[in-house]
């Protein structure tokens, strides 16, 4: 909501949000890509291997995004569709706090793969992909369609729209 507020009030030209553009009338979104979600667990006591089934999640304490977070809703829906019961023990609104909580051994979490960096100095958790499904969330670039943009912001927006158009044409031509 803060990102959308900043764009709506002209404090920012663009923002990047997960799980949906906005239903606000002055904000438009450009779909960019799907981002894979992965499970992270503390190194001590973590299961072996690099994959985990969604059914195994029911045996863990989960640290997830706040209930109102669109990413949380996506995760819950994906697991509910697979009939996975979840045991949420903590909710947080910050990815770094979630990772620190997992490292401390308080549970496991499902986070965007882009937020998992092995080169981090505090990389003290294991990363698992799901063996029986892929949980993803859509990423959008959002902007105020009523705002008069600077020439550089306008050029950036046009470049993004062009990339989007070319991407769509490539998909159509692939058939």
């Amino acid at each position: 909501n803060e990102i959308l507020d900043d764009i709506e009030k002209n404090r920012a030209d663009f923002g990047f949000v997960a799980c949906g553009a906005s239903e606000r009338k002055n904000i438009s979104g450009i779909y960019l890509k799907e981002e894979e979600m992965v499970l992270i667990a503390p190194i001590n006591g973590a299961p072996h291997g690099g994959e985990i089934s969604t059914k195994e999640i029911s045996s863990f304490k989960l640290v997830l995004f706040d209930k109102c977070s669109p990413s949380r809703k996506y995760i819950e829906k994906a697991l509910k569709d697979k009939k996975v019961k979840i045991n949420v023990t903590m909710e947080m609104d910050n990815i770094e706090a979630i990772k620190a909580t997992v490292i401390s051994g308080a549970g496991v979490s499902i986070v965007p793969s882009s937020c998992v960096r092995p080169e981090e100095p505090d990389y003290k958790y294991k990363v698992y992909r799901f063996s029986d499904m892929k949980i993803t969330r859509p990423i959008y670039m959002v902007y105020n369609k009523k705002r008069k943009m600077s020439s550089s912001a306008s050029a950036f927006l046009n470049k993004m729209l062009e990339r989007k158009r070319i991407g769509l044409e490539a998909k159509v031509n692939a058939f």
Side-chain angles (χ1 to χ4, degrees), residues 51-55 82 84 129-134:
E51 289 190 341
I52 193 165
S53 77
T54 52
K55 298 287 183 206
K82 282 288 220 179
V84 175
R129 288 198 157 65
F130 296 103
S131 60
D132 55 342
M133 73 179 295
K134 194 170 194 173

Side-chain angles (χ1 to χ4, degrees), residues 30-36 113-114 137-140 164:
I30 301 170
Y31 169 80
L32 298 176
K33 69 175 199 160
E34 291 293 315
E35 180 176 38
E36 184 180 12
S113 60
S114 64
R137 67 180 189 169
I139 305 295
Y140 293 84
K164 174 75 172 165

Side-chain angles (χ1 to χ4, degrees), residues 89-120:
T89 58
M90 296 179 104
E91 298 177 347
M92 299 181 170
D93 65 356
N94 178 297
I95 190 70
E96 295 306 317
I98 289 172
K99 291 192 296 187
T101 302
V102 168
I103 290 168
S104 77
V108 302
S109 188
I110 299 171
V111 299
S113 60
S114 64
C115 296
V116 177
R117 295 179 195 91
E119 69 277 2
E120 289 178 327

Side-chain angles (χ1 to χ4, degrees), residues 143-162:
Y143 62 96
N144 186 334
K145 62 186 173 188
K146 300 270 186 184
R147 181 179 185 180
K148 177 153 175 52
M149 295 184 185
S150 68
S151 59
S152 58
S154 183
F156 179 74
L157 176 60
N158 287 332
K159 187 62 133 173
M160 294 300 289
L161 290 168
E162 178 67 13

